[in-house]
Amino acid sequence: QAFLSVTSILNVAVFRDHFVLEDLVGEMKKQSPALSFGPLQPDGQIAVQGPFPALRVLREFLLLKAKSLSEEDKKEAKSHQRTRRKLQEPRDATETRNSTWDAHREKQVLVLDTDIYHYMRHFFPSPFQAKGVVISGVTDGDITTVCIEDAGRKAGAAHGLRVKKTIENYSVALQKVLRKERLCFREHSTGEKLRYKQLCEGLKPHYPNILTIPYDTHIDVVGSSADIFKFTEQVR
């Protein structure tokens, strides 16, 4: 299996109060002609399938939409906040500064294939261990959303962007060379799962660049075409 396309479920219900969702989906289709869109569900969810670069562009487009709406909401909230401040007691200066900093901490978000995300975390962990940022990943099936957040004043938005770009570059490079093979369990017994796991663990020293990801019904093997072919043949 090559990492050429992915299917993601998007929830655009958050835009319902600001846009006609059908019009928004039409705009998304014009923005990303390389993607295939499923039907818009009543709850605001829609399936999107296509290559990662196009999916990443669509995500950035939606994030910009959300950011513009958030800024409008903030402006409206500030006008109400000014009237409330006179009624509030003065806060400690340090607490106020910290609260202001927390409210303006920069976040960067990118979408990765889940298998490539696991492969990077295992073999190339340094970008995820960068100082000055906090990196978290939320996995939803084949997609993992990575959030990069500034951890302190000295980091700044530029540092978060550099870390994001580094991870993106790793991802693009790995997409070109990695492949995935799935070893499905013929039976779902605990004994068979343990047997497959032991076989994989025994072969790993001979294939140091192979990553195995166990699930309840199968084991995914991620690596170069040559390595996963030999590895899975030996396991079978």
Side-chain angles (χ1 to χ4, degrees):
Q1 178 180 348
F3 298 97
L4 299 180
S5 70
V6 69
T7 299
S8 180
I9 305 298
L10 301 180
N11 190 342
V12 295
V14 293
F15 297 101
R16 197 186 299 274
D17 293 338
H18 301 274
F19 301 104
V20 177
L21 294 187
E22 289 77 8
D23 294 342
L24 177 61
V25 171
E27 193 175 350
M28 290 161 57
K29 291 179 179 179
K30 291 180 182 179
Q31 175 75 21
S32 305
L35 297 175
S36 299
F37 292 80
L40 178 65
Q41 302 300 318
D43 61 357
Q45 292 192 356
I46 184 171
V48 184
Q49 185 178 44
F52 269 99
L55 187 64
R56 189 177 293 119
V57 170
L58 176 63
R59 183 174 183 83
E60 294 297 330
F61 167 75
L62 291 175
L63 285 173
L64 286 174
K65 284 275 189 186
K67 185 178 180 180
S68 65
L69 296 177
S70 176
E71 288 175 351
E72 289 178 7
D73 292 339
K74 286 180 180 179
K75 290 178 181 177
E76 184 177 347
K78 282 182 180 179
S79 64
H80 295 292
Q81 188 177 12
R82 291 191 190 100
T83 60
R84 291 197 303 267
R85 278 180 181 169
K86 295 180 181 179
L87 303 176
Q88 294 176 345
E89 294 182 2
R91 285 174 141 189
D92 177 80
T94 303
E95 181 186 353
T96 301
R97 286 195 300 269
N98 290 340
S99 298
T100 302
W101 169 248
D102 289 340
H104 292 85
R105 288 170 71 176
E106 293 287 341
K107 289 184 180 180
Q108 306 295 333
V109 178
L110 68 155
V111 178
L112 300 177
D113 176 275
T114 295
D115 296 310
I116 289 179
Y117 169 74
H118 287 310
Y119 196 92
M120 289 178 63
R121 292 300 300 254
H122 186 81
F123 290 106
F124 306 99
S126 57
F128 297 93
Q129 299 169 353
K131 295 182 179 179
V133 292
V134 176
I135 301 178
S136 59
V138 178
T139 297
D140 182 12
D142 293 333
I143 289 290
T144 294
T145 302
V146 178
C147 179
I148 304 166
E149 184 176 4
D150 292 340
R153 297 170 187 247
K154 295 182 180 179
H159 182 56
L161 283 171
R162 285 195 297 271
V163 174
K164 176 184 177 183
K165 190 64 179 177
T166 300
I167 295 175
E168 284 181 335
N169 290 340
Y170 270 101
S171 174
V172 171
L174 290 172
Q175 285 178 36
K176 297 177 181 179
V177 298
L178 291 181
R179 297 293 182 268
K180 179 175 73 174
E181 183 76 17
R182 179 162 292 176
L183 295 169
C184 295
F185 302 144
R186 290 184 297 273
E187 306 168 4
H188 292 172
S189 66
T190 303
E192 188 193 28
K193 295 177 185 178
L194 180 60
R195 184 164 62 254
Y196 266 89
K197 184 177 180 180
Q198 290 173 338
L199 285 170
C200 290
E201 291 297 326
L203 286 172
K204 273 186 180 181
H206 303 286
Y207 299 91
N209 296 321
I210 281 285
L211 176 67
T212 58
I213 309 173
Y215 295 94
D216 288 338
T217 59
H218 63 273
I219 294 177
D220 283 341
V221 183
V222 183
S224 68
S225 296
D227 279 350
I228 64 172
F229 175 77
K230 295 175 183 177
F231 185 90
T232 54
E233 284 298 304
Q234 287 190 265
V235 171
R236 292 188 175 110

